[in-house]
Amino acid sequence: ALSPPKTMAARSGRTTLVPPLLLLLATSLQLLAPAAAELIYDTLDRQIDLRGQAERVRVTAVVRNDGTAVEDTLTLAIPADRTHNVSYVKVTVSKRKLVVEPLKSLGPRGEFFFRVKLLDPIRSGQTQKIVVQMGFVGVLIPHPAVANHNDPHLVKYTTNLYETTPYSVKTQTTVVKFSTSNIISSTKAKPYSSQGDKITYGPYTDLKPFEHKDLNFHFETKAQFSTVTALEREIKICHWGGAVFSETYDLRNSGANLKDAFHRIDYERMQRGYSFEDLSAKLPKNSYGIDFRDDIGNISTSHVRETSKHVLFQMRPRFPLFGGWHSIFKLFYTVPIEQLVSSVAGTSSYVLNTTFSTPFDGLVIEDHTVKVVLPEGSSNIKWVTPFPIESVDKEILKTYLDLTGRPVLVLKAKNLMRFHNQYFQVMYSYPNVMIHRGPLFVMIGFMVFFGSIIMFSRMDLSIGRNEDETKPKVE
């Protein structure tokens, strides 16, 4: 615990404690530092989408500058109980994406702040319309936590009735969308209206900064709770062939745990509840060499169909996944190198352009690792991702025909959703002469091998006496 600050009294040499009220006031001013701008929300419309296994929030607001100075930044706040559940934060103005940076300071209730850099500064008295999109994972809690396989899947959800923000809000409305109309209980905060699978709260007027009131729901969901605990995605670049993808999934059903034993007869009678057994992925166009296997071996319950834009891969694990069950499997496929890697004209530089996250639809990934294995001899490695990631590292991988090893770029991220399946780029330099080194090593190897066979076949390695020497001489 931190000790209260002390000041030395003049002349007397005594130690005097700062009054608690003054200390609290100073601390509050420090915490509210990010909200010092004279900005307010004239209108704020919030939509909370709970139709999937993750929460998606869309806020459309009109910001007004009530101060005298020009404001070129905007501060966003995330509730303290959502800090570890944040998947993404995206801010746009007229469909233009803005730069979002996290801040180190915290709000009065532990809120986490993001700073948004405005492309067009807001002058005194002016307004600007912004759109904020946020995603949160792990916020829909199964309740009850244990259920039978044919029971309805019930979850509970808690949030703030008002948008958590460091600014005052003149008018706010909130719309919550569900996957079904079976809402067991919900907070009745007037004014509100319910219509099927949608509840509207507000409008609420003259809201203060960080105003808070719990908003609780208990409802049935039809969402598939397919969560990947860990995903390792390796992309091996070969300029002579293609880009080889190797993906290892630890997939589990993060819904309510299965209460009783699994009954195959009930399952075949279509009493499948919230379990799932089918997954589909959109692989890059012209993908080939597709293989789907687990620790036991190859799994034949999969289908591949080519379309005009991609290769549709449909798979089925060895067994259906009920709540709490998990399955580990691997997916392999190869993409022609010319589809993903392009050269920079007049240089020995190349650019890899591919998607960051999984090709499967609807998955939530808790821990994601992308390993880009570049050809041996690559240098000046750089990368660009369309969103922040957790960490970046580099490794060396030694395989066949390697002398020094291949450089590996390791990118790690957490709490990924469909939003993160965007393209990222890896730039590297690779001398053209290095492309021919592999085939040259193979040619030299074959020449040495066959040359050695020819040489040893012509050598006489016998240790016996010559037949001419053993014959008697005739005079």
Side-chain angles (χ1 to χ4, degrees):
L2 297 176
S3 302
K6 300 179 179 180
T7 58
M8 297 304 296
R11 298 183 182 178
S12 63
R14 295 177 299 170
T15 301
T16 305
L17 293 177
V18 176
L21 184 59
L22 183 60
L23 175 61
L24 179 61
L25 178 61
T27 305
S28 301
L29 291 176
Q30 182 180 5
L31 292 175
L32 295 177
E38 294 292 338
L39 298 176
I40 64 171
Y41 287 123
D42 276 345
T43 59
L44 190 150
D45 298 322
R46 180 174 62 158
Q47 294 184 0
I48 302 177
D49 191 344
L50 303 179
R51 291 175 293 184
Q53 63 169 321
E55 174 193 11
R56 292 182 297 172
V57 180
R58 179 185 177 92
V59 176
T60 304
V62 176
V63 186
R64 178 161 53 90
N65 186 355
D66 257 7
T68 57
V70 178
E71 300 294 344
D72 58 357
T73 61
L74 181 72
T75 302
L76 301 179
I78 301 295
D81 58 352
R82 293 284 196 273
T83 302
H84 300 290
N85 305 102
V86 178
S87 176
Y88 64 88
V89 177
K90 179 182 178 182
V91 183
T92 57
V93 173
S94 300
K95 297 184 179 181
R96 295 180 298 172
K97 187 177 179 180
L98 306 184
V99 177
V100 181
E101 299 175 342
L103 299 177
K104 295 182 179 180
S105 54
L106 300 177
R109 299 172 61 95
E111 293 88 352
F112 188 78
F113 291 114
F114 288 93
R115 179 170 57 196
V116 182
K117 295 184 178 180
L118 300 175
L119 296 177
D120 301 318
I122 306 176
R123 301 183 180 277
S124 178
Q126 291 184 344
T127 60
Q128 190 171 121
K129 184 179 179 179
I130 67 169
V131 177
V132 181
Q133 299 177 18
M134 296 177 287
F136 302 91
V137 301
V139 296
L140 298 183
I141 310 301
H143 187 74
V146 179
N148 293 317
H149 72 278
N150 56 351
D151 290 342
H153 194 201
L154 303 179
V155 295
K156 63 179 181 179
Y157 167 80
T158 301
T159 188
N160 185 6
L161 175 63
Y162 314 111
E163 176 66 14
T164 303
T165 173
Y167 307 117
S168 300
V169 180
K170 292 297 183 181
T171 305
Q172 174 187 322
T173 58
T174 298
V175 177
V176 185
K177 298 179 180 180
F178 305 90
S179 58
T180 69
S181 58
N182 185 16
I183 302 173
I184 309 301
S185 63
S186 62
T187 300
K188 305 296 189 297
K190 296 181 180 181
Y192 80 96
S193 62
S194 177
Q195 184 178 3
D197 57 356
K198 182 175 67 174
I199 298 180
T200 302
Y201 291 90
Y204 302 108
T205 59
D206 298 328
L207 301 178
K208 299 178 181 178
F210 302 108
E211 191 157 344
H212 182 88
K213 183 178 181 179
D214 284 342
L215 181 62
N216 301 301
F217 296 101
H218 187 205
F219 60 96
E220 179 185 359
T221 178
K222 294 295 185 181
Q224 179 175 295
F225 277 52
S226 49
T227 302
V228 178
T229 304
L231 168 60
E232 182 174 303
R233 195 167 189 242
E234 182 183 86
I235 308 172
K236 187 176 294 185
I237 304 300
C238 177
H239 282 243
W240 280 98
V244 181
F245 288 76
S246 303
E247 303 176 355
T248 303
Y249 293 82
D250 187 352
L251 176 67
R252 67 182 177 90
N253 188 332
S254 57
N257 292 337
L258 183 62
K259 183 177 182 180
D260 296 327
F262 167 64
H263 299 283
R264 171 62 69 175
I265 296 178
D266 292 340
Y267 183 80
E268 294 300 332
R269 290 175 178 173
M270 303 304 292
Q271 297 179 8
R272 303 184 178 184
Y274 54 93
S275 66
F276 61 89
E277 62 175 357
D278 296 310
L279 293 174
S280 61
K282 295 180 180 179
L283 305 181
K285 187 178 180 180
N286 299 323
S287 297
Y288 62 94
I290 302 173
D291 189 13
F292 166 47
R293 62 178 60 241
D294 58 11
D295 292 337
I296 299 177
N298 181 60
I299 304 176
S300 58
T301 53
S302 60
H303 304 277
V304 176
R305 180 167 57 90
E306 293 188 12
T307 65
S308 59
K309 296 182 179 180
H310 52 260
V311 174
L312 181 61
F313 172 71
Q314 296 175 320
M315 56 152 282
R316 177 180 296 181
R318 292 186 182 273
F319 50 86
L321 295 182
F322 289 91
W325 292 19
H326 79 107
S327 174
I328 299 177
F329 64 90
K330 296 181 179 181
L331 175 64
F332 305 91
Y333 57 95
T334 304
V335 182
I337 192 68
E338 61 271 13
Q339 287 187 206
L340 303 182
V341 177
S342 59
S343 60
V344 180
T347 66
S348 59
S349 299
Y350 296 86
V351 179
L352 167 67
N353 186 38
T354 186
T355 53
F356 186 87
S357 187
T358 174
F360 287 98
D361 292 331
L363 296 184
V364 168
I365 305 173
E366 295 179 351
D367 291 293
H368 185 36
T369 301
V370 177
K371 293 185 176 182
V372 182
V373 183
L374 299 174
E376 185 181 23
S378 301
S379 59
N380 300 325
I381 303 173
K382 301 177 183 179
W383 62 93
V384 176
T385 56
F387 44 80
I389 58 178
E390 291 288 326
S391 62
V392 180
D393 197 5
K394 292 183 180 180
E395 300 175 353
I396 296 295
L397 175 65
K398 290 188 178 181
T399 59
Y400 53 90
L401 300 179
D402 289 342
L403 296 179
T404 59
R406 305 183 184 187
V408 181
L409 178 65
V410 182
L411 308 176
K412 294 185 178 182
K414 293 180 179 295
N415 297 341
L416 301 191
M417 298 170 55
R418 185 177 180 180
F419 169 85
H420 296 92
N421 198 23
Q422 304 180 39
Y423 283 88
F424 77 106
Q425 294 76 37
V426 177
M427 291 76 70
Y428 61 96
S429 298
Y430 185 57
N432 294 330
V433 66
M434 297 293 292
I435 299 179
H436 306 284
R437 193 180 69 167
L440 183 61
F441 281 173
V442 175
M443 293 173 58
I444 294 176
F446 277 109
M447 292 176 61
V448 171
F449 175 72
F450 289 112
S452 300
I453 293 178
I454 295 173
M455 182 180 65
F456 281 108
S457 65
R458 294 179 178 272
M459 292 179 61
D460 186 6
L461 301 178
S462 61
I463 58 176
R465 298 180 63 182
N466 195 339
E467 295 181 358
D468 296 337
E469 296 180 358
T470 59
K471 293 180 178 180
K473 295 182 179 181
V474 179
E475 296 182 357

